[in-house]
Amino acid sequence: MTKIPEETIEQVRSKTDIVDLIGEYVQLTKRGRNWFGLCPFHGESTPSFSVAEDKQLFHCFGCGASGNAITFVMDIENSPFTEAIAKLADRAGIELGYTFNESSKSGQSNEFQHMIEAHTLAANFYSHLLLNTVEGEKALHYLEQRGFSRDHIEKYGIGWSLDDREVLTQLLQRKKFDMKEMERAGLCIMKNDGTGYFDRFRGRIMFPLHDDNGNVVAFSGRILTNTKEEAKYLNSPETPIFEKSRLLYNFHHARLNVRKTGKVILFEGFMDTISAERAGVMNSVAVMGTSLSDTHLTKLKRIANQLIICCDGDNAGWEAAKRFALLSSEKGLDAQIALLPGKMDPDEYISTYGGEAFTDKILGNPHSYMSFIMAYYKRSKNLSHENDVLQYIHEVMEELARKVSPIERDLMIRQLSSETGVSKEALNEQLMKKVGTLAKQDKAKRQDEQEKQIVFKDTSRSPTGIERAERLLLSHLLSDGILFDRIRDENQGIFIHEEYTTIYVKLAGFYEQHKRPDFHRFAESLEDRELRKIVMEAAMLERDPEFAELEITDCIHHLEKHQILRRIDEMIHESKEAEKMNDYTRALELAREIIQLRKSLSAL
C-alpha cells in the first residue's frame, strides 16, 4: 500500500473545513460557538450532533460519535484512511500524485465490492453501446426526440442493452466475475436447466441507479415501444448493494445544491428528476416506485429545511402526494405540495409549457399541507349534493383538529365556509368537539405509553467511575508521550476494559513510530470505528493543566484499587473451590494472599 507523507495528511486536514464538509451531509444550524444538526450515525428527531468550528471536531451527545474531518469521512462512507484522504485531497484541490484502489469508495462492505465493480463495468458497457454503436442509434434518436442532450445522457450514464440474451453475461465471464455472485447482484439470471446464465436486461434504455456516494448499484431499463407483453420499466431486484427503501435517485448529484438552498424537490420517479434538471432544477431527488421510507425522510431531513413534493396529476399521483405529505409531516419536515394540472406528469408539463413555467408556476407556487388536503378531499366531491358536503366537512375537520395552528385553522374555516355555505360558527363548534375528542384519545395514548415505559426502562447508562478514570487517563496519555513512557514502565496492564487495553497497546506502537503526540493522526490510524470513538471522546475531554499530575495519580489509584478488588473476588472464589476439593493447603495460601492484598489497599 502507498504510504501517504505526514505533511500531506496535515495539509489535507488543515485545508478541510469540518463545518463545510459535514454540511454536505447534515443540515447544520449555528448555536453559540458550535453548529448543530441531526446525527448521521443514528436516528434522532432532536439535534444532538455538534460540530466545533474552532477545534475542527464533531461530537454526538446521543450516540457518542466523535472525530475530525478525516474520521468523519471514514465513518460516514465506511472507507479506510487512504480512501478518506484521497477524497478530501480531491475536494481541497490537493494533488496526491498517485491513486488508490476504488474498493472502499462505495461505502459498502468489501464483501460486495465485486458487485459494485460489475455494475460499473455494465454501466460503461451500456453507455458505449448507446453512444458509439449502430445498435444504439435507435435508442439514442428516441432520447434526443424526448429532449435529452448529449451532456445529460453522459451525466446520468444512460445506456442501451442489446437485444441479446448473453452479451453482458459473456463480458462478465471474460472479466472473471463469479456468475453466482452476478446473479445475486441482479445482473443475470440462471437458465432453467442450470447450464448457464443470461442477461436480465435486454433491448432496453438503461438508467443507472447510484448510491449516495455515486456508485452504480442497480439499473432501471425502459423499453423503446410499449407492448402488452413487457413491462414499460424493469428494475434490478433488491440486492446486498441495492435497497429501494434506502436509495434516492440523484441524491449524490443534488446533495450539495440542496444544502445550499435548504430546499429539496421530491418526485415520484427518476425520469421526473432528469426532466426537471433539463428545466434547470438542480435540487431534486426521486423515490424508486411510489414507496417513501423513514430512511429516505431521515436522509432528506439532515440536509434540507423544506421539502416540496411534486407528483403526477392523475389519481395515483394525488394518492402518492398524500402519502408523501403525511409521512413527511409525521417526520417533522416542512412539506409543501406542488400540484400539476389535469393528469400531467412533470415531463409533459415541461414539454408543453416550458421549464420556466414549471419552476415559477408549479414549484414556485406550492400548497401548504392543509391547503393540499382540502383540495385532495374536494376533488372527488360534488358540493351541490348535501351528502358530499357533509363528507367533505367531516374529512377536513379530521385534519384540522390534528395538524395545524390556530391561525391556519381560522383560514381553513373561512375557506370551508365559503365553499360549503355552512356558517363559520357552526364549523368552529364542530371543530371544537373534534379537538376535544382527539385530546381525550391523546391523553389515553400518553398514559398507555407511560405505563409501557415503566415496564421497559431505559437501558442507557452513564459511564461508571472506572470508565471515567480510564477515559481521563487515556486523555492525558494521548497528549503526553513522556507520561506514556512513565506509565508503561511503572504500571503494566493499567486499564480494566478490553477496549482501553487494545487502544493502550496500539498507542504504544504509534509512539514508537511517530515519537510525538497527535491524537488526530492516532485516531485516523485505527480501523475499528468503536476504538476511534473512544479515542476522540477522550481527546475532547476538558483538562486542567495545573492539576494534571493530581488527575493522573487519582486515575491510576482508582484503576489499581479496582484491579486489587477484582483480584480479591477471584481469589475468594478460588479459595471456596479449593475447600470444596478438600485442598486446604491451597485455600490457606489464598487466604494469606487475600490478607496481603487487603493491606495493600490501605496504601493506595
Side-chain angles (χ1 to χ4, degrees), residues 560-561 564-565 568 596-604:
E560 286 181 339
K561 181 178 179 180
I564 292 171
L565 290 171
I568 288 172
Q596 291 301 316
L597 287 173
R598 283 176 172 160
K599 286 181 180 179
S600 68
L601 283 174
S602 60
L604 292 176

Side-chain angles (χ1 to χ4, degrees), residues 132-372:
N132 303 302
T133 69
V134 173
E135 291 87 345
E137 286 182 354
K138 187 176 180 181
L140 182 60
H141 181 63
Y142 168 83
L143 289 169
E144 289 171 344
Q145 284 185 320
R146 289 284 303 270
F148 285 83
S149 67
R150 178 94 178 200
D151 286 343
H152 277 104
I153 291 171
E154 291 181 353
K155 176 178 179 179
Y156 286 97
I158 303 170
W160 170 252
S161 59
L162 296 178
D163 194 9
D164 184 308
R165 284 177 59 84
E166 299 181 18
V167 62
L168 178 64
T169 297
Q170 290 172 355
L171 175 62
L172 293 170
Q173 288 173 330
R174 287 199 302 272
K175 295 294 184 178
K176 307 301 182 185
F177 284 98
D178 183 323
M179 295 313 295
K180 286 185 178 180
E181 189 176 18
M182 295 302 97
E183 181 185 28
R184 190 181 176 202
L187 290 173
C188 59
I189 301 170
M190 180 179 282
K191 295 178 181 178
N192 289 335
D193 60 7
T195 59
Y197 299 86
F198 61 90
D199 297 357
R200 178 177 294 276
F201 298 99
R202 303 182 303 278
R204 290 177 179 267
I205 297 174
M206 301 300 293
F207 295 89
L209 309 180
H210 300 81
D211 65 13
D212 294 354
N213 300 314
N215 302 289
V216 180
V217 292
F219 291 97
S220 183
R222 188 196 191 283
I223 56 174
L224 269 179
T225 55
N226 295 342
T227 64
K228 294 181 179 179
E229 291 77 22
E230 291 185 280
K232 183 177 179 180
Y233 285 96
L234 175 66
N235 295 332
S236 295
E238 294 213 338
T239 69
I241 61 172
F242 170 54
E243 296 178 57
K244 287 191 291 185
S245 64
R246 302 185 67 84
L247 186 141
L248 282 167
Y249 186 81
N250 200 46
F251 186 83
H252 66 299
H253 281 147
R255 180 165 53 199
L256 188 57
N257 287 306
V258 171
R259 186 175 71 89
K260 288 178 179 177
T261 62
K263 183 187 300 183
V264 61
I265 316 298
L266 177 65
F267 290 114
E268 278 185 272
F270 66 86
M271 285 296 291
D272 297 332
T273 290
I274 298 175
S275 298
E277 179 166 325
R278 297 196 333 251
V281 178
M282 310 300 289
N283 56 334
S284 75
V285 298
V287 293
M288 296 306 302
T290 56
S291 58
L292 183 66
S293 69
D294 278 349
T295 303
H296 291 147
L297 290 169
T298 298
K299 194 178 293 187
L300 294 177
K301 189 175 180 181
R302 286 175 185 149
I303 63 171
N305 294 321
Q306 184 182 5
L307 171 67
I308 295 178
I309 297 164
C310 184
C311 297
D312 295 350
D314 58 12
N315 286 336
W318 277 83
E319 294 298 332
K322 183 173 183 288
R323 287 197 307 274
F324 292 178
L326 182 61
L327 290 169
S328 302
S329 178
E330 290 174 348
K331 200 71 176 177
L333 270 167
D334 175 19
Q336 295 178 302
I337 300 87
L339 296 176
L340 288 160
K343 296 185 177 181
M344 281 187 162
D345 61 33
D347 184 55
E348 289 175 309
Y349 188 95
I350 292 168
S351 298
T352 304
Y353 300 106
E356 187 175 343
F358 181 69
T359 55
D360 291 346
K361 296 181 180 180
I362 304 302
L363 298 182
N365 189 34
H367 291 250
S368 69
Y369 175 80
M370 199 60 224
S371 175
F372 164 74

